[in-house]
């Protein structure tokens, strides 16, 4: 009989946790903040300090949550993820789909009272694309849909006037694409496309100090106490401030799911859980019973996975990578650890992402590999023989500090020990340090997760091209790059989806440069009197129109 040492222990802890959870207050802590309806002050938690609140540098969920409170792009997305007017009150699209003319509202202002102009968008997007911007913005490639943007970013052109971004007057922004891109409008709601105030040019540290963060969104930052608290207050100069009911959003900073849940139960938090926080997985069964009317479980288009550094030993060997991927029991992880309806993943693109006619995952199955311990052992031995190993080099799995990440890491390394006879050390790291190590390829295996920036498979595939700022694996493949380039330039949606399917085959089946583990479910607790919180298909949360009854 196969041993399940660690998972058995986690199951025992789950039972104990459930019993202890039942010893709380009679009402389960579901009572909201009694002063909240009058004060309209929202209390949430961030599980880590945002690594950057510069829209050009951000690349994570925590930064995304805060940036969307403070900034607004040309459009933003409604509850059905449809683009609606933001800074742009209307727009025109040419018949060939290549030219967008955005008409900016004249009452759009920065928090200091300055008007938001088309020139602000031009300079902000130029800053993202400028090859001298340091560090290099990781999402610069998202602007490559624009004519001349890639050439400027890659120094093939030094003349920004050749890039298809023009301010024809203070309130008119003209954008020319190199190929028709149906989702471009939605993409302008993404934080890399946010405008930043002209004053940032003279202050390299502007995004670390509330006094120098001039913003154009529903809220503006008033407090940032490192390691303790972030506060944003209603922006009196925001053009739509009459529809913003909250006066303030206060964010505690704690990477302890237990602390977050305790604070929610006691009424100190009004919202707990994903995407910006975490609820302890061993408390989910008790919460389902005690707080079922406040628990929000929603399948979302995201994937939890482990990355290989394919330039580091021993994972520069494809067979060894495949062995590690095949030796994990995903069903045990989602049933005994995460416990929120997650689905095991054998591909990178999750359900819920649009395909040619229906869901991409429905049209293209994620059957790139199977869990098979015997085959994994065989591949491991073959890979070791190819590399001349009698024993594997020391291996470390890194993850950012989180109760859930720790439990999954311990469970997975226990499976590798039982199934492959390989000892893997685990190491938790502070989020900023973790991201830096991952970006610099200072790791062997690293935890990761991805949710879409827009509803098209491209958001899951262009990140792995050899020039992408989000490719933290060292993976480079000319055939893969060509498929993504082809999908970028094609207006034939059927062919695009075929290109994506071939690209995913290279990523997972052929190269196994990552280990898909499960497709996300958003898990959150929301107080009954808190209304207007929007959690979209990608699991991103919008608090800007939230309010208390």
């Amino acid at each position: 009989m196969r041993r399940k040492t660690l998972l058995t222990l986690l199951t025992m802890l789950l039972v104990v946790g459930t019993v202890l959870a039942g010893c709380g207050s009679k009402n389960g802590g579901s009572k909201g903040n009694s002063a909240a309806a009058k004060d309209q002050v929202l209390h949430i938690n961030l599980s880590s300090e945002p690594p950057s609140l510069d829209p050009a540098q951000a690349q994570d969920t925590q930064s995304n949550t805060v940036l969307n409170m403070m900034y607004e792009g040309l459009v933003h997305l409604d509850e059905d993820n449809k683009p609606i007017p933001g800074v742009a009150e209307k727009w025109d699209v040419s018949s060939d789909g290549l030219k967008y003319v955005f008409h900016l509202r004249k009452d759009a202002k920065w928090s200091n009272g300055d008007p938001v102009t088309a020139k602000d968008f031009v300079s902000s997007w130029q800053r993202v694309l400028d090859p001298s911007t340091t560090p290099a913005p990781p999402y610069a490639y998202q602007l490559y849909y624009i004519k001349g943007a890639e050439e400027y970013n890659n120094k093939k052109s030094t003349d920004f006037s050749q890039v298809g971004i023009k301010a024809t007057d203070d309130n008119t922004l003209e954008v020319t694409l190199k190929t028709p891109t149906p989702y471009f409008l939605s993409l302008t709601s993404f934080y890399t496309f946010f405008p930043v105030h002209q004053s940032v040019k003279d202050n390299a540290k502007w995004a670390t100090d509330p006094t120098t963060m001039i913003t154009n969104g529903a809220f503006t930052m008033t407090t940032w106490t490192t390691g303790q608290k972030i506060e944003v207050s209603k922006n009196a100069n925001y053009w739509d401030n009459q529809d913003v009911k909250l006066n303030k959003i206060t964010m505690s900073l704690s990477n302890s799911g237990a602390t977050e849940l305790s604070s929610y139960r006691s009424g100190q938090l009004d919202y707990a859980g994903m995407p910006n926080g975490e609820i302890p997985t061993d408390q989910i069964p008790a919460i389902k019973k005690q707080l079922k009317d406040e628990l929000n479980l929603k399948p979302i288009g995201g994937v939890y996975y482990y990355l290989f550094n394919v330039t580091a030993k021993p994972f520069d060997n494809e067979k060894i990578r495949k062995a590690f991927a095949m030796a994990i029991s995903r069903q045990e992880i989602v049933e005994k650890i995460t416990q929120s309806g997650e689905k095991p993943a054998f591909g990178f693109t999750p359900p819920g992402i649009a395909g040619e006619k229906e869901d991409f995952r429905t049209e293209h199955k994620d059957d790139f590999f199977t869990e098979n311990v015997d085959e994994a052992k065989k591949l491991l031995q073959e890979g070791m023989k190819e590399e001349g190993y009698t024993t594997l080099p020391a291996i470390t799995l890194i993850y950012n500090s989180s109760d859930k990440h720790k439990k999954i890491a311990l469970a997975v390394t226990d499976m590798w020990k039982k199934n492959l006879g390989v000892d893997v050390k685990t190491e938790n790291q502070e989020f900023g340090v973790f991201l830096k190590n991952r970006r610099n390829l200072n790791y062997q295996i690293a935890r990761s997760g991805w949710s879409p920036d827009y509803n098209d498979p491209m958001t899951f595939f262009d990140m792995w091209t050899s020039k992408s700022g989000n490719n933290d694996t060292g993976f480079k493949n000319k055939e893969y790059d060509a498929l993504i380039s082809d999908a970028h330039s094609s207006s034939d949606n059927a062919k695009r989806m075929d290109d994506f399917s071939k690209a995913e085959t290279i990523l997972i089946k052929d190269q196994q440069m990552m280990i898909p583990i499960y497709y996300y479910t958003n898990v959150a607790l929301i107080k009954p009197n808190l209304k207007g919180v929007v959690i979209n298909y990608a699991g991103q949360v919008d608090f800007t129109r939230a309010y208390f009854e």
Side-chain angles (χ1 to χ4, degrees):
M1 187 176 184
R2 218 173 64 170
R3 292 185 299 116
K4 298 183 180 179
T5 316
L6 182 62
L7 287 171
T8 301
L9 177 60
L10 289 173
T11 305
M12 291 171 66
L13 288 171
L14 167 64
V15 174
V16 173
T18 304
V19 172
L20 290 174
C23 298
S25 62
K26 217 174 202 181
N27 62 13
S30 63
K31 184 171 70 175
N33 185 337
S34 60
K38 181 177 70 174
D39 296 341
Q40 293 294 334
V41 177
L42 173 65
H43 297 82
I44 66 172
N45 180 59
L46 302 180
S47 60
S48 65
E49 195 107 33
S52 177
L53 289 179
D54 178 347
Q57 299 295 342
Q59 61 176 146
D60 66 285
T61 299
Q62 306 304 333
S63 302
N64 180 38
T65 298
V66 182
L67 286 170
N68 277 297
M69 297 173 186
M70 301 195 301
Y71 290 89
E72 183 172 74
L74 294 166
V75 307
H76 63 260
L77 303 180
D78 66 11
E79 292 186 29
D80 299 317
N81 304 302
K82 304 295 183 186
I84 59 175
V87 177
E89 60 183 352
K90 60 182 180 178
W91 47 86
D92 305 309
V93 185
S94 62
S95 58
D96 61 5
L98 291 177
K99 183 171 286 188
Y100 287 70
V101 179
F102 295 94
H103 304 279
L104 277 56
R105 56 181 77 251
K106 294 180 180 178
D107 55 348
K109 294 181 180 179
W110 293 100
S111 53
N112 70 346
D114 290 345
V116 179
T117 69
K119 292 176 184 176
D120 292 327
F121 282 91
V122 174
S123 62
S124 300
W125 294 5
Q126 180 175 2
R127 180 170 168 264
V128 171
L129 291 169
D130 191 332
S132 67
T133 300
T134 305
Y139 269 117
Y141 66 91
Q142 291 288 34
L143 276 70
Y144 286 2
Y145 299 97
I146 300 171
K147 181 183 176 182
E150 183 174 5
E151 291 79 2
Y152 182 77
N153 187 234
N154 292 332
K155 300 182 181 179
K156 292 180 180 178
S157 166
T158 57
D159 184 2
F160 188 73
S161 69
Q162 298 304 304
V163 180
I165 308 168
K166 304 283 187 296
T168 56
D169 59 45
D170 282 351
N171 297 102
T172 310
L173 178 70
E174 186 178 287
V175 182
T176 304
L177 307 185
K178 59 183 178 183
T179 56
T181 307
Y183 49 86
F184 180 74
L185 201 55
S186 295
L187 194 53
T188 65
S189 71
F190 185 57
Y191 51 75
T192 309
F193 287 80
F194 287 165
V196 293
H197 192 265
Q198 298 285 342
S199 62
V200 309
K201 290 183 295 188
D202 305 316
N203 183 0
K205 297 183 178 180
W206 69 272
T208 62
D209 183 351
T211 64
T212 54
M213 285 190 212
I214 301 172
T215 64
N216 76 318
F219 295 87
T220 189
M221 183 171 289
T222 48
T223 302
W224 188 353
T225 306
T226 303
Q228 296 180 39
K229 182 175 72 171
I230 294 175
E231 278 189 352
V232 295
S233 298
K234 184 174 178 177
N235 179 5
N237 285 317
Y238 177 52
W239 68 270
D240 194 30
N241 64 44
Q242 70 274 11
D243 286 333
V244 178
K245 307 302 181 189
L246 294 174
N247 293 315
K248 185 184 293 185
I249 302 176
T250 297
M251 293 158 266
S252 55
L253 300 172
S254 172
N255 63 15
S256 168
T259 300
E260 183 168 343
L261 177 58
S262 175
S263 297
Y264 179 87
R265 285 184 176 276
S266 66
Q268 296 173 64
L269 294 179
D270 306 298
Y271 180 102
M274 295 173 67
N276 45 280
E278 182 175 293
I279 295 170
T281 57
D282 58 4
Q283 293 294 309
I284 297 295
I287 290 169
K288 287 178 178 177
K289 293 178 182 178
Q290 298 170 359
L291 300 172
K292 63 180 181 179
D293 294 334
E294 300 172 39
L295 180 62
N296 182 295
L297 294 178
K298 179 181 179 180
I300 55 174
V303 59
Y304 189 103
Y305 58 102
Y306 283 166
L307 286 176
F308 289 117
N309 176 356
V310 300
T311 69
K313 295 187 178 303
F315 299 114
D316 52 351
N317 184 281
E318 172 196 315
K319 289 180 179 178
I320 293 175
R321 298 196 297 269
K322 288 183 175 181
F324 274 65
M326 296 172 75
I328 296 173
S329 174
R330 290 154 182 78
Q331 194 63 37
E332 289 186 46
I333 291 171
V334 299
E335 284 184 359
K336 297 183 179 180
I337 300 179
T338 59
Q339 304 185 79
S340 300
E342 295 86 353
K343 302 294 183 186
F346 296 90
F348 188 59
T349 311
I353 302 303
E356 180 191 356
K357 295 178 180 176
E358 35 184 334
D359 187 286
F360 177 81
R361 196 74 287 160
T362 300
E363 294 174 340
H364 303 274
K365 303 297 182 185
D366 64 342
D367 53 3
F368 300 106
F369 68 99
T370 59
E371 295 168 354
N372 187 321
V373 173
D374 291 335
E375 181 66 15
K377 288 178 179 176
K378 178 184 171 188
L379 286 169
L380 178 62
Q381 291 306 311
E382 290 177 1
M384 290 176 65
K385 185 176 180 181
E386 288 175 0
E387 301 299 325
Y389 296 141
T390 52
T391 58
L392 287 175
I395 300 171
T396 300
L397 161 65
I398 66 170
Y399 60 92
N400 53 300
S401 303
S402 153
D403 297 336
K404 181 170 72 174
H405 300 334
K406 179 179 181 180
K407 288 174 183 176
I408 293 172
L410 292 175
V412 169
T413 53
D414 188 60
M415 291 172 187
W416 286 333
K417 174 65 174 176
K418 290 184 299 184
N419 297 333
L420 298 177
V422 177
D423 287 304
V424 177
K425 177 186 174 184
T426 62
E427 181 180 321
N428 72 306
Q429 299 179 347
E430 184 273 326
F431 194 40
V433 173
F434 171 77
L435 286 179
K436 185 176 180 180
N437 282 331
R438 219 174 57 183
R439 180 185 286 189
N440 293 335
L441 297 181
N442 185 24
Y443 76 94
Q444 292 166 294
I445 313 177
R447 184 211 76 83
S448 195
W450 192 259
S451 58
D453 304 322
Y454 47 92
N455 197 354
D456 186 90
M458 183 63 79
T459 188
F460 287 90
F461 293 114
D462 59 1
M463 64 186 289
W464 303 118
T465 63
S466 55
K467 296 177 182 177
S468 167
N470 279 312
N471 183 350
D472 296 339
T473 66
F475 167 77
K476 294 183 190 236
N477 183 288
K478 289 183 179 179
E479 182 185 356
Y480 184 90
D481 286 355
L483 285 166
I484 302 308
S485 177
D486 200 40
H488 258 297
S489 60
S490 176
S491 57
D492 182 341
N493 208 30
K495 186 175 187 312
R496 292 178 71 249
M497 297 305 149
D498 186 55
D499 285 339
F500 291 141
S501 181
K502 290 175 181 175
E504 193 171 22
T505 300
I506 292 172
L507 284 182
I508 311 296
K509 184 176 182 178
D510 297 346
Q511 297 295 322
Q512 196 78 66
M513 39 74 68
M514 70 177 74
I515 305 177
I517 298 179
Y518 62 80
Y519 299 125
Y520 276 118
T521 294
N522 194 83
V523 185
L525 284 165
I526 306 174
K527 292 296 184 185
N529 64 331
L530 176 58
K531 308 297 180 182
V533 176
V534 176
I535 301 169
N536 71 8
Y537 75 100
Q540 297 161 349
V541 63
D542 182 0
F543 293 112
T544 61
R545 301 307 190 273
Y547 62 95
F548 291 97
E549 285 189 334

